[in-house]
Amino acid sequence: MSTVILAEKPDQARSYMQALGIKYSGKATLAKGETFLDKNTIIVSAAGHLINLSEPEHYDEAYKDRKNLDILPLMPAKFAYQVTKDKRWLFNQIKEEVDTADRVIVATDKDNEGGAIAYNILLFCRALKYKKIERAYPSALNKSAVIRQFKNLEPITDTWNHAKAAIARGKSDWLIGMNLSRLYTAKLQSIGINGNFAIGRAISTTLNLICQWYKSIDDFTEEPIYELKGLTKINDSILKLTSNIRIVGKDDPNYNAKAEYIHLLKQNGITGPHMLGKVKAVESKKKYQLPPILMTKGDLYHEMNRVAGWTQSRSKKVMQQNYEQGFQTYPRTDSGKITKHMYDYLKSGFNEYLAAIGEEGNFKLFPYPEDKLKKYLTTEKSAGAHMAIIPTEKLMTKDDNVTDDQRLMYEVVVRKSLTLLLEPYQYISNRLGILVGKVPMISQNTGVIEEGWKKILLPSKKDRKDKANKSKTTFDFSKYVQKGDTLPIILKNYVSKTKPPKPLKSIQIYDKGGLMEQAYKYVEDEKYEKILKQAKGIGTSATRDQAMSSLQEKKYVTVDRHDIITVTPEGWLINHLLGHSEVNDPILTAKWEEEFDQIGKGKATAQSLINKTAKLVYKEFNHLDKYWDPNDINTFYAKYRDSFDESISVGSCPVCSSNVIFSKDEKNKGKFDCYECTNKNCDFKIWYHHGGKTISPTNATRLLSFKPTNEIKQMVGRSGVHYNGKLVLVFDKNKNKYFVRLYKKPQEH
């Protein structure tokens, strides 16, 4: 008898080997030994997607010509797959072990993609029908979690159904991407706009949402806001009052917001700034608040941004490191719930977790009763791929070889997880209702009684210095005023202006309640709006990362060091061209989610989705013929190109006065990066690398202003000698060109 455990990645496989007591060396991708599963247990690793859909040229050599639109669209009668060339040895290694095994345990990642990876590998191994196959759902890679999951194996049926849905999605995305990317790229090249214009359901829809956000900023018109507010005094304290009288201006020259506001005041008996108000309601209640559901991946991104100002990419990297080293649970999750087992080990290790973050003895365990606890819990079967990110049973100690970033994230995760074991946040809530004329006015405030679980959370980066001053104090309103009392009121006409949305940050794409999750708000059809809302928007936590990364890779957007997203001219152009398309409409994702659900339940076939996608592709070809207008396209692109170049320009070209921008050399991995003129007929450029150092944008601007750069240290000359110095832009009359040279300070006479 023998059992093969199939891992998705080498690091994951080695975690299984270590947990199950199978010896291995170095970067092993295969190891054998005796375990409680089988006397002959073999752990073998894939490397993500070993098997992928074939490239178009597999079907016909003619498809190597990406400009040949006459052979499109490509609709394979049967999709072909191929083993990735540089990973073929891994596949052969897996196949050799699976061929002789009596049982296979699929222990790839818990999401649908993990299931799809295993399905395709075992399909190519011809093992699906002839081997006993079971599923392990490791929620973490520490020893106790791994052992526990392998002792609680599950049937493979659900995994295969969801894998088929993921495979259908992959084929459908392939049809859209391979056909429409080639179509738009070739058509744009034919009118002089070069580039690789990728089209895809997820990235195109995400781009559309981002563009709509920025269009709302561009279309924003400032309007006045008129509000009635007030002040009153009880117990020597000034209380602020708000009312329901609020008038906002309209984008209509015939509408006078101020006149409407004054009319409304008179209509409601407001006669001046000083009036008497009659108390209609007064209440003070002691309330409590339970901790929120624990963290999903998007929540962790947001929390790291709040606490430390981290970008999504930084959080993603550290999150994966802590998972792979066994300190945190599975990161690509959309659920904040945990199992009873996970709750129990958090509870039993409460003091040890506190000690691990330097809080030993500072908090008291407060277990919640079952009726309160149930909203935080899920069963492992119903959770599937999705459970909250919490610390594993493996504590991170001061002796562990981890980075400062890993320690900070671990601390954040531990603190958030332990909120579930601390007493509720308790506060007093006051409400005072006063009638002034015919206008109801309200004063509300809260004050802390007991910080409870909130006390363990780290303050935000902005508030860290004055955390002690953040707790509000209040008093019981009902001790000083009663219903029917009359109070003097000072009224104020508060005038402000509407504000445009702020520039979009990348953290707002992934965050819970972020742009991709709230895509349903951009859908008018109630049926599909509901589907998208239930599906939590576009993509999973994993595919949202991928969509945003793809947008950056395809140069449709840029993300600066402050995490601000900017749409590039190419991004605006492709979104403009898809303006009448279904591909970038959130409704398409909603329709696909409906299909995925049916395929996952075994009520629909993958082919049904593929057939619908094929019809969509044909429709898109007809759509492009109908709306293609070269003059309009070039005019649109030039407008955004000029605006974008101006925004990123480091200065004016000394030859032709056009904008000079940074140009990255993708082909040679940055070897010939430079600042170059945007005028295609001008060859002016400043090389980014000089003397083994780089020229910053600030220094490039100084050069273009014919000023010396700031001092650059440790440059290296041709002889290998290091030196410090400033650079300057000079004109060589003999060569009729500008060059960057070492600045020599003029000698005084």
Side-chain angles (χ1 to χ4, degrees), residues 43 58 77 101 113 122 136 145 181 212 309 331 340 346-347 363 375 382 403 489 590 596 603 626 668 724 730:
I43 299 175
H58 169 86
E113 286 303 315
L122 296 181
S181 298
Q212 287 192 58
K340 184 61 165 57
L346 285 175
K347 181 180 173 183
F363 294 90
K375 78 171 187 175
S382 64
T403 65
I489 309 295
F596 297 155
K603 296 180 179 180
K626 182 178 179 181
N668 298 289
N724 302 337
V730 296

Side-chain angles (χ1 to χ4, degrees), residues 296-320:
T296 64
K297 184 176 78 169
D299 293 328
L300 183 51
Y301 286 167
H302 182 269
E303 188 69 358
M304 295 311 302
N305 180 263
R306 183 188 73 82
V307 169
W310 285 11
T311 61
Q312 171 268 343
S313 58
R314 185 174 180 180
S315 295
K316 179 182 178 182
K317 176 184 176 182
V318 179
M319 183 174 62
Q320 189 67 24

Side-chain angles (χ1 to χ4, degrees), residues 511-655:
D511 190 19
K512 183 180 284 186
L515 198 63
M516 293 182 79
E517 185 173 306
Q518 295 198 34
Y520 64 87
K521 291 184 176 180
Y522 296 84
V523 174
E524 295 182 3
D525 186 291
E526 289 186 8
K527 174 186 174 183
Y528 293 116
E529 177 188 1
K530 185 177 180 181
I531 291 172
L532 264 186
K533 192 171 184 178
Q534 290 174 340
K536 296 184 179 179
I538 300 170
T540 64
S541 58
T543 55
R544 286 173 189 170
D545 276 351
Q546 188 177 350
M548 192 62 199
S549 296
S550 295
L551 286 174
Q552 291 176 258
E553 288 169 7
K554 305 305 179 187
K555 297 184 179 179
Y556 288 155
V557 303
T558 62
V559 179
D560 68 16
R561 62 190 182 89
H562 300 295
D563 205 38
I564 299 291
I565 297 172
T566 299
V567 182
T568 67
E570 291 74 20
W572 283 111
L573 176 61
I574 207 67
N575 189 65
H576 172 67
L577 294 176
L578 293 172
H580 301 278
S581 171
E582 284 184 64
V583 172
N584 70 346
D585 191 328
I587 286 181
L588 179 62
T589 294
K591 290 178 178 178
W592 280 29
E593 288 294 340
E594 196 173 30
E595 290 282 342
F596 297 155
D597 183 60
Q598 293 300 304
I599 296 170
K601 292 177 179 176
K603 296 180 179 180
T605 64
Q607 193 60 44
S608 65
L609 176 61
I610 295 166
N611 291 342
K612 290 175 183 177
T613 306
K615 290 179 181 178
L616 171 64
V617 170
Y618 279 111
K619 185 178 178 180
E620 290 299 317
F621 272 74
N622 295 331
H623 150 79
L624 192 62
D625 288 338
K626 182 178 179 181
Y627 291 102
W628 189 257
D629 182 340
N631 290 330
D632 171 74
I633 293 168
N634 273 303
T635 301
F636 182 92
Y637 181 65
K639 171 189 170 184
Y640 280 95
R641 180 82 265 169
D642 292 345
S643 175
F644 183 75
D645 287 348
E646 182 69 33
S647 70
I648 63 172
S649 173
V650 294
S652 298
C653 174
V655 177

Side-chain angles (χ1 to χ4, degrees), residues 651-658 660 677 682 684 686 703-704 706 729 738:
S652 298
C653 174
V655 177
C656 69
S657 299
S658 299
V660 175
C677 181
C682 179
F684 174 79
I686 295 172
L703 289 172
L704 292 170
F706 294 99
L729 189 66
Y738 284 92

Side-chain angles (χ1 to χ4, degrees), residues 479-491:
K479 290 182 179 180
Y480 299 92
V481 290
Q482 303 296 321
K483 186 176 179 180
D485 287 353
T486 300
L487 294 173
I489 309 295
I490 299 174
L491 298 174

Side-chain angles (χ1 to χ4, degrees), residues 97-352:
E97 298 302 331
V98 168
D99 281 347
T100 58
D102 299 288
R103 175 175 66 160
V104 176
I105 298 174
V106 172
T108 52
D109 282 355
K110 300 176 65 178
D111 54 19
N112 291 355
E113 286 303 315
I117 287 168
Y119 185 91
N120 279 332
I121 288 173
L122 296 181
L123 176 66
F124 264 59
C125 291
R126 298 181 181 178
L128 292 178
K129 293 182 180 180
Y130 307 108
K131 301 290 180 181
K132 180 182 180 181
I133 303 173
E134 293 179 286
R135 183 63 156 129
Y137 284 115
S139 59
L141 296 180
N142 59 297
K143 182 176 180 178
S144 58
V146 170
I147 290 174
R148 184 170 178 277
Q149 294 298 338
F150 280 114
K151 285 184 176 180
N152 292 275
L153 300 176
E154 297 183 17
I156 198 66
T157 307
D158 286 346
T159 294
W160 281 172
N161 284 338
H162 288 101
K164 289 173 184 175
I167 291 167
R169 175 170 54 203
K171 290 178 178 178
S172 296
D173 278 330
W174 188 95
L175 287 175
I176 291 173
M178 289 299 178
N179 283 293
L180 300 187
S181 298
R182 289 181 174 220
L183 173 65
Y184 279 91
T185 298
K187 291 285 282 185
L188 286 168
Q189 285 180 350
S190 72
I191 61 172
I193 301 176
N194 296 317
N196 180 17
F197 290 88
I199 309 293
R201 174 187 55 87
I203 66 168
S204 298
T205 304
T206 306
L207 177 63
N208 185 19
L209 297 177
I210 293 171
C211 288
Q212 287 192 58
W213 181 285
Y214 279 104
K215 193 170 187 310
S216 70
I217 295 177
D218 293 339
D219 294 344
F220 173 78
T221 301
E222 187 181 82
E223 298 290 349
I225 303 172
Y226 296 90
E227 298 175 274
L228 179 65
K229 297 186 178 183
L231 299 172
T232 191
K233 187 176 183 181
I234 61 173
N235 187 31
D236 293 327
S237 296
I238 303 297
L239 302 182
K240 294 179 180 180
L241 297 164
T242 59
S243 77
N244 59 359
I245 292 186
R246 185 176 189 270
I247 298 295
V248 181
K250 301 177 182 178
D251 187 15
D252 181 351
N254 298 317
Y255 182 76
N256 189 325
K258 185 175 181 180
E260 177 70 16
Y261 175 72
I262 292 171
H263 172 72
L264 197 58
L265 293 181
K266 291 179 179 179
Q267 195 177 42
N268 283 276
I270 302 301
T271 57
H274 298 278
M275 294 184 69
L276 293 176
K278 192 170 185 177
V279 177
K280 289 293 184 179
V282 58
E283 59 182 35
S284 292
K285 292 183 178 179
K286 290 183 179 180
K287 296 185 177 182
Y288 70 89
Q289 181 183 340
L290 297 177
I293 299 295
L294 299 181
M295 291 190 296
T296 64
K297 184 176 78 169
D299 293 328
L300 183 51
Y301 286 167
H302 182 269
E303 188 69 358
M304 295 311 302
N305 180 263
R306 183 188 73 82
V307 169
W310 285 11
T311 61
Q312 171 268 343
S313 58
R314 185 174 180 180
S315 295
K316 179 182 178 182
K317 176 184 176 182
V318 179
M319 183 174 62
Q320 189 67 24
Q321 288 174 326
N322 278 356
Y323 166 65
E324 290 178 355
Q325 293 182 31
F327 298 116
Q328 291 171 199
T329 56
Y330 183 70
R332 291 182 289 282
T333 173
D334 296 314
S335 172
K337 294 189 175 184
I338 58 176
T339 64
K340 184 61 165 57
H341 167 75
M342 296 166 88
Y343 171 78
D344 287 340
Y345 79 64
L346 285 175
K347 181 180 173 183
S348 63
F350 180 76
N351 292 323
E352 286 76 13

